[in-house]
Amino acid sequence: MRTIALPIRVDRNGQLARADAVDALLQVIRAMAGTTADVWPHAPWFGLYEHFVEANLGLEDQQGLADALNVALERLDITWAKVHAVKTARQRQLGERRFDITLLVEGGEPVYGQVTT
């Protein structure tokens, strides 16, 4: 069963609804990209902000980011999805850092998402 802690959301009617696991996972990845390593001293592997900020935007493939995300997913005990690739996306604004994420989800097609820092 695919789960992430509290995979719930509030729907248009104000009712609690189960969130899609892949969408919830992409939200967790975005949270990791926006969290510094020192926020939770017991889990510095969760805060990947520094990794995203220090990534060389001149490179298309960001293997170091993919590896760091996979370590974090493993430590969160998420075994049903892996980060297959992180690629530098075209920047729309000066100073923006965008990355395309490809997830391989157990029993399904690749899933694509994006992280902006």
Side-chain angles (χ1 to χ4, degrees):
M1 171 185 262
R2 297 180 192 167
T3 62
I4 294 177
L6 297 175
I8 58 174
R9 61 182 171 78
V10 177
D11 67 17
R12 291 183 185 160
N13 299 320
Q15 302 294 314
L16 291 178
R18 180 175 278 287
D20 176 76
V22 174
D23 290 340
L25 179 57
L26 286 168
Q27 289 299 327
V28 168
I29 288 172
R30 289 180 187 110
M32 287 184 219
T35 302
T36 60
D38 63 347
V39 170
W40 291 303
H42 64 285
W45 45 265
F46 185 91
L48 297 177
Y49 176 78
E50 293 87 354
H51 290 272
F52 279 88
V53 168
E54 294 169 2
N56 180 351
L57 297 181
L59 299 175
E60 179 182 5
D61 291 321
Q62 299 289 341
Q63 188 60 49
L65 290 176
D67 293 343
L69 285 166
N70 280 322
V71 166
L73 296 181
E74 185 178 306
R75 297 230 175 149
L76 288 170
D77 209 20
I78 296 172
T79 59
W80 52 268
K82 297 284 182 215
V83 175
H84 176 68
V86 178
K87 305 239 182 227
T88 303
R90 197 179 106 244
Q91 314 307 300
R92 294 184 182 161
Q93 298 175 348
L94 185 64
E96 179 182 64
R97 301 174 73 77
R98 293 173 9 131
F99 302 91
D100 293 325
I101 310 283
T102 304
L103 296 174
L104 296 180
V105 178
E106 189 175 83
E109 296 291 319
V111 177
Y112 305 97
Q114 195 166 80
V115 171
T116 303
T117 59

